[in-house]
Every structure is written in C-alpha cells, then in structure tokens.
Amino acid sequence: MTYDSENIFAKILRGEIPCDRVYEDEFALAFHDINPQAPVHILVIPKGDYVSMTDFSANAPAELIAGFFRAVGHVAREQGLEQPGYRILANSGSDAHQEVPHLHIHIFGGRKLGPMLAR
Ligand code: AMP
C-alpha cells in the first residue's frame, strides 16, 4: 500500500491540524485520541511516511524504529501506567479496522481493560 500524504496523521505531523500533544521528540509524536476508549487513550506515531507496522518494520531505518519504540515506552512510563498496567495495540489493514493509514500505536490505560479482543 502506498503512503497517502493527505491522511489525518500526516496533517497533524505537518502542523496543519492541531492535536492534544503528550510528547514529541525527533522520532515520534504522541497525542490524545480524539475518541478515547479508556480513561487514558494515547496515540504514538513515527515521524516518517509509514502506513503500517509491516511497512515500518521492513522499511524504516533502525534508528527510527528504536526511537519510536522508546517513545512508546517513555509515554507509558510518564503517564504512570507501568503499574497498574496498560495495553498497546496497532491495527493494520481492513480486518483490524485500521482507519488512518499512518502507523500508530494505541496506548490504553486507567481502568481494567478486559479481555484482549472484542468478540
Ligand atoms: P485505527 O482504527 O487503529 O486506525 O485508529 C484510528 C484512531 O485515530 C481512532 O481511535 C480515532 O479516534 C483516532 N483519531 C482520528 N482522528 C483523530 C484526530 N484528529 N486526533 C486524534 N485522534 C484521532
């Protein structure tokens, strides 16, 4: 799948539309999900044109992959989620209901999160 540079997260990265920012560094941007599914629901996106985890893991430079995952862990820690716990999730493709074609990791926390998958 080719990257669509008009997707909403690309626009957020370019500063064309606002976000409720939580954290930013040279590799990643984290912001609150506009439609939260848990008391804490944060999205972390890499600074690069990657559609999905498959695309990112195959094509991103190692420094960006490392920096991105460090940012995910940093945000979880900073939000105080390490204890009592949190969940990360990345939807990829239509079966997973990926809505925005720019890789994003959801961080959920702030309550007991129930079973791993909805039925
Ligand atoms: P996914 O289904 O994994 O692609 O998730 C996309 C997520 O992006 C959803 O949870 C949406 O609520 C969220 N979302 C869409 N537009 C925005 C936005 N402008 N700011 C923050 N979150 C957004």
Side-chain angles (χ1 to χ4, degrees):
M1 188 179 183
T2 54
Y3 185 79
D4 170 14
S5 60
E6 292 307 306
N7 79 76
I8 196 149
F9 293 169
K11 291 180 178 175
I12 287 175
L13 275 177
R14 292 196 296 267
E16 293 169 10
I17 62 168
C19 70
D20 187 0
R21 187 173 59 182
V22 171
Y23 175 75
E24 182 168 14
D25 64 21
E26 64 186 296
F27 304 111
L29 173 67
F31 51 92
H32 290 285
D33 195 291
I34 207 166
N35 182 24
Q37 307 294 310
V40 178
H41 185 175
I42 292 167
L43 302 173
V44 190
I45 65 176
K47 290 191 173 176
D49 296 353
Y50 302 99
V51 174
S52 65
M53 183 62 75
T54 330
D55 181 17
F56 185 68
S57 59
N59 299 316
E63 191 186 27
L64 178 57
I65 293 174
F68 175 63
F69 281 99
R70 282 192 208 284
V72 174
H74 176 82
V75 169
R77 213 165 27 247
E78 286 273 295
Q79 295 287 315
L81 297 175
E82 210 161 20
Q83 292 297 336
Y86 63 98
R87 180 173 293 158
I88 65 171
L89 180 150
N91 292 316
S92 186
S94 60
D95 268 11
H97 294 277
Q98 182 180 6
E99 290 171 10
V100 181
H102 180 115
L103 171 62
H104 48 286
I105 287 193
H106 298 255
I107 301 177
F108 299 105
R111 67 165 165 80
K112 292 221 177 283
L113 293 167
M116 189 155 57
L117 287 178
R119 309 232 170 254

